[in-house]
Amino acid sequence: MSKLKGKVAVVTGASKGIGAGIARQLASDGASVIVNYASDKSGADKTVAEIVKAGGKATAIGASVSEASGIETLFTQAKKIYGTVDILVNNAGVYKFAPLEAITAEDIDFMYNTNVKGLLLTSKAAVSQFPAAGGSIINIGSVASEQTPPTSSIYSSTKGAVDTITRVLAKELGPKKVRVNSVNPGPVVTEGFKSAGIEGSDFEKQMVTGTPLGRIGQPEDIATVVSFLASDDAQWITGSLLQAAGGLR
Amino acid sequence: MSTLTGKVAVVTGASKGIGAAIAKSLGAAGASVVVNYASSKSGADTVVDAITKAGGKAVAVAGDVSKPADAEAIIAAAIKTYGHLDILVNNSGVYEFGPLEAITPEHFHKQFDINVLGLLLVTQAAAKHLGKGGSIINIGSLVSRITPAGSSVYSATKGAVDVITGVLSLELGPKGIRVNALNPGLVETEGTHTAGFIGSDFHKEAVAKTPLGRTGQPNDIATAAVFLASDDAGWITGQLINAGGGVR
């Protein structure tokens, strides 16, 4: 398959987990991929090495999307390397759960800076580089925006903001032929998922029971959906929130 | 694209318009396609010809989805011709607009029988043959959320389709069958031309309200249907996907 042949994609937070899975998928579908990372250089290098080994094109760029200077670095370098950007996957995101009484101003800034402010400023930078033919922005949200689990007030609300931004920007950027969609995963088995001790827990069993397709998501489950939205096969789809969660609601 | 190699698909109401485009795209993606039609045999034959000329496999099968025996027969034809079934696209649908005072039982039943009962009957017949990896795609409409004036019956049928999609995704999920709805906005087809939509003030207004600034084409819907039919959408079920260029 080469439905993204000739396209250049930036995937933020792609050193591991869902982001790494998306970067690999976009590359295997023909795109040249900027594998962005905030701190995990070795993870990003590993993702790039896997892509190159499979015959694809990718470059790692270190830059934090939570800072304006990081975003500028990311796009200046991306343009230098591949000349243009056609696809942006806003995947970088952080989470931390705490009950109301334990949340702090620092936690709010920590999650909002990356998940919302970073996403908006990254989108702004990408749109300024998209060609006249348009582009595709895919925001990685979460089913948390609708599930609103307890102790997730900050995280879920950042994802609620992402849903809203997707719909606003779809209207705003449609006339520029820029499509904007969200892919909202449920629980996905990632390094983060494993280190949080969820794997094998009762919580995991509960999630599987609540999932009609009866398993936990894998990064590849999300990646194929992102690749579709990035491609011209999704040319008529914008402003959509696609839950990729095996039917979990 | 050949992501559907070895799969068998049934597309209801595929003799023209969106259904024909979906049938052709599924065929081009490698699926063997049952092209169902209610009355237009020549339309269905044209679609089958186009698919086979492009190197695909297809067969035209007559049947009124709102009749239980026909619904069974459409699915039976797929099994008989191709041996199994993987994909069902519930595309058959009719529309008729009218203000509240013009609604009659006939107007109601004409639309609910095909758009809702027919969809359920074909799905019921298909579910017996679908297994892990099976995909059901219901063609709904943006009207279920836009609720335009003068469309109470038609929009209600599509609201029912949205709900059925959610219910059946929960019901059939444990068997590994995915159920999603693809909800187009105004699409330029023979039907919308004949109904006088295309070129009308309503059409101009619709385009002006569409962020991507044009009218939908059958192929816009077809490429999204191929994705939902494929394993690339293996983790997507119970979703209502708007395919309307951003109209909400």
Side-chain angles (χ1 to χ4, degrees), chain A residues 1 3 167 170-171 174-175 177-179 187 211-213 215-218 221-222 224-225 228 232-247 249, chain B residues 1 3 145 166-167 169-170 173-174 176-178 182 210-212 214-216 219-221 223-224 227 231-237 239 241-246 248:
Chain A
M1 284 223 298
K3 64 186 172 197
R167 290 171 157 166
K171 288 183 181 165
K177 300 192 183 92
V178 174
R179 296 182 295 102
T211 303
L213 292 181
R215 61 175 178 88
I216 297 280
Q218 298 292 331
D221 292 324
I222 312 307
T224 51
V225 181
F228 162 69
D232 289 341
D233 284 350
Q235 63 194 347
W236 201 227
I237 298 184
T238 191
S240 283
L241 315 177
L242 258 167
Q243 297 195 345
R249 277 187 282 161
Chain B
M1 283 214 303
T3 52
R145 292 196 204 172
V167 171
S169 73
L170 297 179
I177 302 167
R178 297 180 296 104
L182 190 51
T210 303
L212 292 180
R214 61 174 176 86
T215 309
N219 189 53
D220 291 327
I221 313 307
T223 52
F227 165 69
D231 293 338
D232 282 352
W235 202 225
I236 296 188
T237 190
Q239 294 293 295
I241 295 161
N242 290 350
R248 298 189 56 229

Side-chain angles (χ1 to χ4, degrees), chain A residues 50-76:
Chain A
E50 283 165 353
I51 290 172
V52 172
K53 200 177 166 197
K57 278 188 202 163
T59 306
I61 297 181
S64 171
V65 299
S66 67
E67 289 158 27
S69 61
I71 294 166
E72 202 189 318
T73 303
L74 174 59
F75 283 89
T76 308

Side-chain angles (χ1 to χ4, degrees), chain A residues 4-248:
Chain A
L4 301 177
K5 197 167 180 230
K7 305 264 186 187
V8 176
V10 170
V11 184
T12 66
S15 58
K16 55 181 181 296
I18 295 174
I22 292 169
R24 286 191 298 261
Q25 184 70 45
L26 297 180
S28 83
D29 286 337
S32 302
V33 182
I34 297 290
V35 175
N36 162 254
Y37 65 95
S39 57
D40 183 7
K41 183 176 187 305
S42 71
D45 286 343
K46 192 174 153 230
T47 306
V48 168
E50 283 165 353
I51 290 172
V52 172
K53 200 177 166 197
K57 278 188 202 163
T59 306
I61 297 181
S64 171
V65 299
S66 67
E67 289 158 27
S69 61
I71 294 166
E72 202 189 318
T73 303
L74 174 59
F75 283 89
T76 308
Q77 292 196 27
K79 189 160 193 176
K80 210 179 283 173
I81 296 163
Y82 293 123
T84 185
V85 175
D86 308 282
I87 298 156
L88 168 65
V89 183
N90 280 311
N91 169 74
V94 290
Y95 56 86
K96 193 172 150 183
F97 298 96
L100 181 64
E101 60 271 24
I103 69 177
T104 62
E106 288 73 30
D107 286 343
I108 296 174
D109 287 344
F110 169 64
M111 285 181 255
Y112 270 86
N113 276 346
T114 297
N115 300 6
V116 184
K117 187 174 82 179
L119 178 144
L120 272 171
L121 293 176
T122 307
S123 301
K124 177 182 164 183
V127 169
S128 76
Q129 289 203 9
F130 281 163
S136 177
I137 296 175
I138 298 112
N139 296 325
I140 306 302
S142 168
V143 294
S145 64
E146 288 191 28
Q147 283 203 327
T148 61
T151 75
S152 76
S153 47
I154 305 173
Y155 177 69
S156 293
S157 67
T158 66
K159 294 306 187 177
V162 171
D163 289 352
T164 302
I165 289 166
T166 297
R167 290 171 157 166
V168 171
L169 292 185
K171 288 183 181 165
E172 195 171 319
L173 302 176
K176 291 184 178 172
K177 300 192 183 92
V178 174
R179 296 182 295 102
V180 187
N181 294 286
S182 281
V183 176
N184 292 359
V188 173
V189 180
T190 61
E191 295 85 341
F193 186 90
K194 287 173 191 163
S195 62
I198 300 169
E199 209 175 30
S201 69
D202 283 354
F203 181 57
E204 185 188 24
K205 276 180 212 142
Q206 217 178 320
M207 285 188 295
V208 171
T209 309
T211 303
L213 292 181
R215 61 175 178 88
I216 297 280
Q218 298 292 331
E220 296 70 34
D221 292 324
I222 312 307
T224 51
V225 181
V226 171
S227 187
F228 162 69
L229 288 171
S231 78
D232 289 341
D233 284 350
Q235 63 194 347
W236 201 227
I237 298 184
T238 191
S240 283
L241 315 177
L242 258 167
Q243 297 195 345
L248 178 74

Side-chain angles (χ1 to χ4, degrees), chain B residues 12 26 51 56-57 84 122 134 160 167 175 178 209 213 232 247:
Chain B
T12 65
L26 293 174
I51 294 173
K57 283 184 202 164
H84 59 110
V122 177
V167 171
K175 290 184 180 170
R178 297 180 296 104
K209 281 186 193 157
D232 282 352
V247 174

Side-chain angles (χ1 to χ4, degrees), chain B:
Chain B
M1 283 214 303
S2 56
T3 52
L4 301 177
T5 305
K7 305 243 187 192
V8 176
V10 168
V11 184
T12 65
S15 61
K16 55 184 185 300
I18 294 174
I22 292 173
K24 286 182 212 165
S25 289
L26 293 174
S32 302
V33 186
V34 169
V35 176
N36 161 253
Y37 65 98
S39 56
S40 175
K41 183 175 188 308
S42 70
D45 286 342
T46 307
V47 173
V48 169
D49 276 353
I51 294 173
T52 46
K53 273 198 188 118
K57 283 184 202 164
V59 61
V61 175
D64 175 348
V65 296
S66 66
K67 294 182 178 143
D70 284 21
E72 285 280 352
I74 294 164
I75 298 302
I79 303 299
K80 191 178 165 209
T81 313
Y82 299 119
H84 59 110
L85 180 65
D86 308 280
I87 299 155
L88 168 63
V89 182
N90 282 310
N91 170 74
S92 286
V94 291
Y95 52 86
E96 201 175 87
F97 294 92
L100 180 64
E101 59 272 23
I103 293 171
T104 62
E106 291 73 29
H107 167 83
F108 179 92
H109 284 295
K110 182 178 171 188
Q111 298 181 75
F112 266 90
D113 283 358
I114 293 175
N115 301 6
V116 182
L117 177 64
L119 179 145
L120 282 170
L121 291 174
V122 177
T123 304
Q124 185 184 53
K128 291 177 214 159
H129 299 282
L130 293 170
K132 197 169 160 54
S135 176
I136 297 171
I137 300 152
N138 297 326
I139 305 301
S141 168
L142 289 181
V143 296
S144 63
R145 292 196 204 172
I146 298 177
T147 61
S151 76
S152 5
V153 176
Y154 177 65
S155 295
T157 66
K158 294 305 187 177
V161 171
D162 288 354
V163 172
I164 289 167
T165 300
V167 171
L168 293 185
S169 73
L170 297 179
E171 214 171 301
L172 301 177
K175 290 184 180 170
I177 302 167
R178 297 180 296 104
V179 187
N180 293 288
L182 190 51
N183 293 358
L186 182 63
V187 173
E188 187 174 359
T189 62
E190 298 88 331
T192 52
H193 268 289
T194 311
F197 281 126
I198 302 301
S200 68
D201 284 353
F202 173 83
H203 177 208
K204 278 175 210 146
E205 222 176 284
V207 171
K209 281 186 193 157
T210 303
L212 292 180
R214 61 174 176 86
T215 309
Q217 297 298 320
N219 189 53
D220 291 327
I221 313 307
T223 52
V226 169
F227 165 69
L228 286 174
S230 78
D231 293 338
D232 282 352
W235 202 225
I236 296 188
T237 190
Q239 294 293 295
L240 316 176
I241 295 161
N242 290 350
V247 174
R248 298 189 56 229

